[in-house]
Amino acid sequence: MKFNTTQRRLFVIAPALLALTGCATDADSGFSGDASSINEITHSLWTYSWLAAAVVGVFTAILIVWPAIFHRAPKNGPEFPKQTQYNVPVEIAYTLIPFFIVAGLFYFTIVKQNEIVTPQENVKHEIVVNGFQWSWQFTYLDAGEDITVTGTPAKPPVLVVPQGERVRYTIVSNDVVHGFWIPEFMIQMQNLPGVTNRLEFTANKLGDFPGRCNILCGRNHAQMLFTVRVVTPAEYETYISNLKPEVEKASLT
Ligand SMILES: [Cu+2]
């Protein structure tokens, strides 16, 4: 069987297009969708933003590939095909379409963001998250305003939170901008010097989850790690009651 040039080009392009449109499942993306109360809010925003990006990407690829295959200059014809720039309706269309895409993404992001940052009544615990160069300090207000757990770049701290109970986090910094980020919980909020940010969420799943600083904040930024340890409410109570002696013990050594 013989193929003409156009058919041969399609054989090369079609598999590439298929690879480009391959969708990742939730399992592939690493987001379970219910690790925290924030996942429940933002997971649909994440999913639909990627679907919208996929539609725009495929449409754009077709617009590029189609003329490259079907509107090539004829072998013995003029050097350039008929030029169609300054087409006002087309220019208006490709100004308005991106505007509506950005406006749509902006609108849904603001709606979800307001849902996340609006304080709720049912907060059970409060923890202050202080980012500093280059680690984290967690103050458990349940234990007392001066009871802190402080990490170092060599020994990243553990943030212990109770499963199924809403916690309010006060996000602060005394030096430069840091980013309090827990990828599994689909949340990040910046620690800004001179600004007090607030965030609330409930951790739903027991286990350890990596956390890190996601704003480049200096030499040891890459070591600004922490672990979120979600424990049962009873284990959390025990942790809080043990915290004070532990801190005192640590300061003596
Ligand atoms: Cu940092």
Side-chain angles (χ1 to χ4, degrees), residues 132-134 136 176-179 213-218 221 224:
F132 63 93
Q133 287 174 312
W134 288 275
W136 301 91
V176 299
V177 180
H178 301 280
C213 175
N214 68 351
I215 300 289
L216 185 57
C217 60
H221 160 69
M224 244 186 105

